[in-house]
Amino acid sequence: MKKRFLATVMAAGMVLGMTACGGSQTQSTTAAETTKAAASSEAATTKGSEAATTEAAASTWKPTTTVSIVVPAGAGGNTDLSARVFAEYAKRMTGADFIVVNANGAAGSVAANQVRSAAADGHTFLYGHNLVNVANIAGVTDYNYTAFKLGPTFALDPAQQFYANPEKYKTLDEFIQAAKANPGKLKACTEVGAYTYYELLAFEKVAGIDLDLVDVGSNSDKVAAMLSGQVDLMPGAYINCKDYLEAGQFVCLGAPTKERYELIKDIPTLTEQGVDLVYPNCEFSFYFPKDTSDDVIAWYDQLVKKMTEDPEVKEAIAKVEMMPYYLSSSDSEANDEKIYNEIKQIADDLAK
């Protein structure tokens, strides 16, 4: 029943995604100052600055009008807030105007389609993580990252952690044992065709459990479902869960990361607890229309590298509970290919 329900929602998402190029669901907002509570300055360490294999080539291009940063999410989440950090400091450093355009819906395909149909002149790009690839794997779209020209990567959020109600489950082992005792009964919230859907499928497989995956919508909807007791488990970004964690309303069962990051240093990894799952991190890259020139890409490469090395920008990214993380455009493309193959393998294993 679960798989039939999800397939129905996927089909509906595909119809919406293919008709979204007109941007009827988008809204533009200025690059306002972000206001999330400050994190430790240690969290601002640039973990990806070493990843660039070569210096970006010199560019003579520069923006001649306002640049639209199309975000596949509503206001207030990690994607939106980190995009606003970029917009604010890009203006300070270059004098050009940047705006964030929120275009949520259909597993990111509303935003993706908007950028694919935009002029390839460097003034419009998609900003996000993994969304283009997971939407394709889920069947929501008929394209993946190769339909775009990859720009640099700007920020990193560790793979979304698993949160539960501490009155029900205090540890990962407690949750897994409860799931094994009640197959198909414990509810986990997700968004079909999105990053967390395949994260939960991978978790089910390695933990040997069967969950009831419920499509509840956006990040704010997931939090609301958790707070109201409608679901038992929620994959979530730290920025969306930190306040509830500190208030004792959520407990974090673990993070599907290879290591403990400074940002979430008190949260144990799943592998530390005997669950062998490492899921791709959320690495926020720029996706340009396919025919964008190399000169444009080189300009953004230079800018992002400079920004992620700047102490003030590092601090601003830390304030939205994320980490600066520079990958050159070529390294970003290679990274997207790797992530695409990893998540596709999860989907292929499920189909066997």
Side-chain angles (χ1 to χ4, degrees):
M1 178 64 71
K2 173 177 68 178
K3 298 301 183 291
R4 286 200 297 273
F5 167 73
L6 293 175
T8 301
V9 180
M10 284 184 194
M14 175 177 278
V15 172
L16 177 58
M18 297 307 175
T19 59
C21 294
S24 60
Q25 297 190 22
T26 66
Q27 64 178 37
S28 297
T29 53
T30 58
E33 178 182 356
T34 56
T35 56
K36 196 68 180 176
S40 165
S41 60
E42 291 181 328
T45 301
T46 305
K47 296 180 70 65
S49 60
E50 300 84 6
T53 56
T54 59
E55 288 289 331
S59 173
T60 58
W61 180 86
K62 62 180 180 180
T64 57
T65 187
T66 299
V67 176
S68 294
I69 307 170
V70 183
V71 171
N78 55 355
T79 308
D80 173 76
L81 291 173
S82 58
R84 292 175 188 278
V85 170
F86 173 81
E88 178 183 347
Y89 285 92
K91 179 176 176 59
R92 291 190 191 184
M93 291 182 172
T94 69
D97 290 321
F98 294 79
I99 61 167
V100 172
V101 180
N102 297 101
N104 199 12
S109 63
V110 170
N113 286 333
Q114 183 174 332
V115 172
R116 287 182 74 210
S117 63
D121 58 7
H123 296 102
T124 303
F125 64 86
L126 179 70
Y127 176 79
H129 72 90
N130 304 325
L131 76 163
V132 173
N133 294 319
V134 292
N136 173 251
I137 292 166
V140 176
T141 66
D142 60 357
Y143 58 82
N144 63 9
Y145 71 97
T146 59
F148 299 84
K149 191 158 186 175
L150 265 291
T153 298
F154 174 66
L156 180 147
D157 215 2
Q160 291 197 11
Q161 307 91 55
F162 292 134
Y163 293 89
N165 184 330
E167 294 182 2
K168 293 182 178 181
Y169 316 102
K170 290 183 170 56
T171 66
L172 178 66
D173 185 63
E174 278 187 22
F175 179 85
I176 291 175
Q177 293 308 314
K180 287 181 176 179
N182 299 276
K185 298 292 181 63
L186 271 60
K187 298 183 185 299
C189 58
T190 184
E191 189 173 359
V192 173
Y195 169 89
T196 57
Y197 175 58
Y198 291 101
E199 181 180 19
L200 287 168
L201 292 180
F203 176 53
E204 284 183 315
K205 181 179 179 180
V206 298
I209 59 177
D210 179 27
L211 302 172
D212 181 11
L213 306 187
V214 182
D215 189 327
V216 301
S218 68
N219 287 326
S220 59
D221 295 324
K222 294 185 184 75
V223 170
M226 272 288 294
L227 291 172
S228 64
Q230 297 177 56
V231 297
D232 300 285
L233 183 72
M234 183 190 79
Y238 185 65
I239 189 172
N240 298 326
C241 303
K242 179 186 177 183
D243 291 344
Y244 302 104
L245 195 61
E246 293 176 348
Q249 294 171 284
F250 288 0
V251 62
C252 188
L253 303 180
T257 56
K258 186 177 181 179
E259 61 184 291
R260 288 201 191 194
Y261 288 94
E262 185 66 23
L263 179 66
I264 52 172
K265 62 183 179 181
D266 295 327
I267 295 174
T269 67
L270 297 188
T271 54
E272 286 177 43
Q273 302 177 79
V275 177
D276 188 19
L277 175 61
V278 175
Y279 195 66
N281 290 320
C282 301
E283 296 162 358
F284 293 84
S285 304
F286 299 1
Y287 299 79
F288 291 85
K290 186 68 174 176
D291 295 331
T292 302
S293 73
D294 291 340
D295 206 28
V296 169
I297 301 300
W299 187 86
Y300 282 97
D301 256 340
Q302 294 164 16
L303 176 60
V304 170
K305 188 172 190 300
K306 179 181 178 181
M307 289 177 71
T308 54
E309 293 172 348
D310 184 278
E312 192 172 346
V313 178
K314 289 182 180 183
E315 183 178 358
I317 296 174
K319 286 180 180 178
V320 297
E321 311 295 354
M322 295 173 67
M323 296 178 287
Y325 186 78
Y326 169 71
L327 294 179
S328 68
S329 56
S330 58
D331 287 343
S332 293
E333 183 172 10
N335 191 51
D336 255 50
E337 180 181 13
K338 175 178 175 288
I339 291 171
Y340 176 78
N341 290 331
E342 287 177 358
I343 298 178
K344 190 173 186 303
Q345 186 62 55
I346 294 171
D348 289 346
D349 288 346
L350 179 69
K352 292 178 181 178

